[in-house]
Amino acid sequence: ESSAVKTLLDGVCDLVVDLDAELCIASDTSKFNALMMVGPDQSSQGRYFHHFMASDEDWMLVERGLLSSSPGPQTSDSVPLAGAVHAKMRDSIGNIFDMEIFHASFEGLDGRLHHMVGMRELAETALAPLRSEADPEAEEPSSAGGAPDSLSTTEQGTSQNSAVGVRLR
């Protein structure tokens, strides 16, 4: 059952991590470590997942989802064993970014509760303004011409976002 969930999450998410009953990362994954900029000489295994959340509010949202999807006695009004939330996360150097977090809870072979968490980074959707805020009378960039100082709206957004350190895919 858990391998089917992992296969599904692997297909729709950037990465998948396994959390134990205490909501700690159960095993190191290179994709998670790369996303969170965990150094090669460090491990994420055993670290509380909430350490990677941007705020207490984001953690409470994720924790509520994880705990509400925990298996228990099944009744007609039982909560689902899986769910999804949107939350902000913070990598080890302080960058904050939006994530879509999918989760499913299950009882592991060890008889303990586990949470499989799939994560997908949400793309930056805002475009840079066409006119400089400092000079509202400035001409809009030309889309024809191809001069080096002439950027399309998409290229402007990319160069502006890169300059302020926003995570780009």
Side-chain angles (χ1 to χ4, degrees), residues 29 36 41 54 63-64 67 82 90 92 111 118 125 154 166:
T29 65
M36 294 302 173
D41 58 335
E63 182 182 40
R64 183 177 29 228
L67 297 179
R90 180 187 319 267
S92 64
T125 57
T154 304
V166 174

mmCIF file of all heavy atoms in Angstrom, residues 29 36 41 54 63-64 67 82 90 92 111 118 125 154 166:
data_model
loop_
_atom_site.group_PDB
_atom_site.id
_atom_site.type_symbol
_atom_site.label_atom_id
_atom_site.label_comp_id
_atom_site.label_asym_id
_atom_site.label_seq_id
_atom_site.Cartn_x
_atom_site.Cartn_y
_atom_site.Cartn_z
ATOM 1 N N THR A 29 17.047 12.051 2.122
ATOM 2 C CA THR A 29 16.825 11.969 0.681
ATOM 3 C C THR A 29 17.616 13.095 0.030
ATOM 4 O O THR A 29 17.587 14.233 0.511
ATOM 5 C CB THR A 29 15.340 12.094 0.291
ATOM 6 O OG1 THR A 29 14.863 13.382 0.618
ATOM 7 C CG2 THR A 29 14.485 11.046 0.981
ATOM 8 N N MET A 36 16.342 21.946 0.312
ATOM 9 C CA MET A 36 16.483 22.687 1.567
ATOM 10 C C MET A 36 17.901 23.184 1.808
ATOM 11 O O MET A 36 18.199 23.729 2.857
ATOM 12 C CB MET A 36 16.024 21.821 2.739
ATOM 13 C CG MET A 36 14.560 21.524 2.687
ATOM 14 S SD MET A 36 13.608 23.066 2.671
ATOM 15 C CE MET A 36 11.989 22.452 2.395
ATOM 16 N N ASP A 41 27.762 17.586 4.128
ATOM 17 C CA ASP A 41 28.295 16.978 5.341
ATOM 18 C C ASP A 41 27.253 16.928 6.466
ATOM 19 O O ASP A 41 27.568 16.573 7.589
ATOM 20 C CB ASP A 41 29.543 17.735 5.802
ATOM 21 C CG ASP A 41 29.268 19.211 6.061
ATOM 22 O OD1 ASP A 41 28.305 19.757 5.459
ATOM 23 O OD2 ASP A 41 30.002 19.832 6.851
ATOM 24 N N ALA A 54 8.287 27.960 7.220
ATOM 25 C CA ALA A 54 8.607 29.388 7.272
ATOM 26 C C ALA A 54 8.062 30.063 8.521
ATOM 27 O O ALA A 54 8.643 31.041 8.998
ATOM 28 C CB ALA A 54 8.075 30.097 6.024
ATOM 29 N N GLU A 63 0.817 20.474 10.200
ATOM 30 C CA GLU A 63 0.643 19.518 11.300
ATOM 31 C C GLU A 63 -0.813 19.079 11.425
ATOM 32 O O GLU A 63 -1.104 17.890 11.584
ATOM 33 C CB GLU A 63 1.122 20.135 12.606
ATOM 34 C CG GLU A 63 1.023 19.189 13.786
ATOM 35 C CD GLU A 63 1.450 19.842 15.085
ATOM 36 O OE1 GLU A 63 1.105 21.030 15.303
ATOM 37 O OE2 GLU A 63 2.115 19.167 15.880
ATOM 38 N N ARG A 64 -1.724 20.030 11.322
ATOM 39 C CA ARG A 64 -3.156 19.698 11.403
ATOM 40 C C ARG A 64 -3.529 18.713 10.290
ATOM 41 O O ARG A 64 -4.250 17.750 10.520
ATOM 42 C CB ARG A 64 -3.990 20.968 11.322
ATOM 43 C CG ARG A 64 -5.474 20.734 11.479
ATOM 44 C CD ARG A 64 -6.299 22.015 11.473
ATOM 45 N NE ARG A 64 -5.669 23.060 10.674
ATOM 46 C CZ ARG A 64 -5.500 24.313 11.085
ATOM 47 N NH1 ARG A 64 -5.906 24.682 12.263
ATOM 48 N NH2 ARG A 64 -4.922 25.195 10.306
ATOM 49 N N LEU A 67 -1.863 15.202 11.108
ATOM 50 C CA LEU A 67 -2.488 14.505 12.233
ATOM 51 C C LEU A 67 -3.930 14.121 11.937
ATOM 52 O O LEU A 67 -4.414 13.098 12.425
ATOM 53 C CB LEU A 67 -2.387 15.343 13.500
ATOM 54 C CG LEU A 67 -0.956 15.602 13.984
ATOM 55 C CD1 LEU A 67 -0.955 16.464 15.238
ATOM 56 C CD2 LEU A 67 -0.202 14.295 14.209
ATOM 57 N N ALA A 82 -5.430 10.789 3.563
ATOM 58 C CA ALA A 82 -4.518 11.567 2.732
ATOM 59 C C ALA A 82 -5.079 12.975 2.593
ATOM 60 O O ALA A 82 -6.253 13.210 2.835
ATOM 61 C CB ALA A 82 -4.361 10.921 1.365
ATOM 62 N N ARG A 90 11.048 27.180 4.542
ATOM 63 C CA ARG A 90 12.292 27.945 4.610
ATOM 64 C C ARG A 90 13.453 26.967 4.515
ATOM 65 O O ARG A 90 13.526 26.003 5.266
ATOM 66 C CB ARG A 90 12.371 28.704 5.929
ATOM 67 C CG ARG A 90 13.621 29.533 6.107
ATOM 68 C CD ARG A 90 13.747 30.143 7.500
ATOM 69 N NE ARG A 90 12.512 30.659 8.023
ATOM 70 C CZ ARG A 90 12.111 31.939 7.899
ATOM 71 N NH1 ARG A 90 12.856 32.796 7.251
ATOM 72 N NH2 ARG A 90 10.974 32.331 8.426
ATOM 73 N N SER A 92 17.683 26.021 4.534
ATOM 74 C CA SER A 92 18.665 26.197 5.601
ATOM 75 C C SER A 92 19.406 27.526 5.544
ATOM 76 O O SER A 92 20.064 27.893 6.516
ATOM 77 C CB SER A 92 19.662 25.035 5.596
ATOM 78 O OG SER A 92 20.406 25.046 4.399
ATOM 79 N N GLY A 111 5.019 -1.348 12.754
ATOM 80 C CA GLY A 111 3.832 -1.178 13.587
ATOM 81 C C GLY A 111 3.615 0.256 14.037
ATOM 82 O O GLY A 111 2.671 0.534 14.767
ATOM 83 N N GLY A 118 4.717 14.238 0.034
ATOM 84 C CA GLY A 118 5.185 14.651 -1.284
ATOM 85 C C GLY A 118 5.167 16.167 -1.348
ATOM 86 O O GLY A 118 4.223 16.803 -0.864
ATOM 87 N N THR A 125 4.592 33.224 -10.252
ATOM 88 C CA THR A 125 3.684 33.573 -11.330
ATOM 89 C C THR A 125 3.647 35.058 -11.636
ATOM 90 O O THR A 125 3.131 35.458 -12.659
ATOM 91 C CB THR A 125 2.251 33.106 -11.001
ATOM 92 O OG1 THR A 125 1.852 33.690 -9.761
ATOM 93 C CG2 THR A 125 2.187 31.593 -10.913
ATOM 94 N N THR A 154 8.808 38.254 -19.850
ATOM 95 C CA THR A 154 9.250 37.050 -19.156
ATOM 96 C C THR A 154 10.701 37.167 -18.746
ATOM 97 O O THR A 154 11.070 36.841 -17.628
ATOM 98 C CB THR A 154 9.063 35.817 -20.055
ATOM 99 O OG1 THR A 154 7.688 35.762 -20.443
ATOM 100 C CG2 THR A 154 9.455 34.551 -19.330
ATOM 101 N N VAL A 166 14.889 35.150 -5.389
ATOM 102 C CA VAL A 166 13.688 34.314 -5.365
ATOM 103 C C VAL A 166 14.033 32.985 -6.014
ATOM 104 O O VAL A 166 14.721 32.938 -7.018
ATOM 105 C CB VAL A 166 12.546 35.024 -6.130
ATOM 106 C CG1 VAL A 166 11.342 34.118 -6.249
ATOM 107 C CG2 VAL A 166 12.181 36.305 -5.420
#
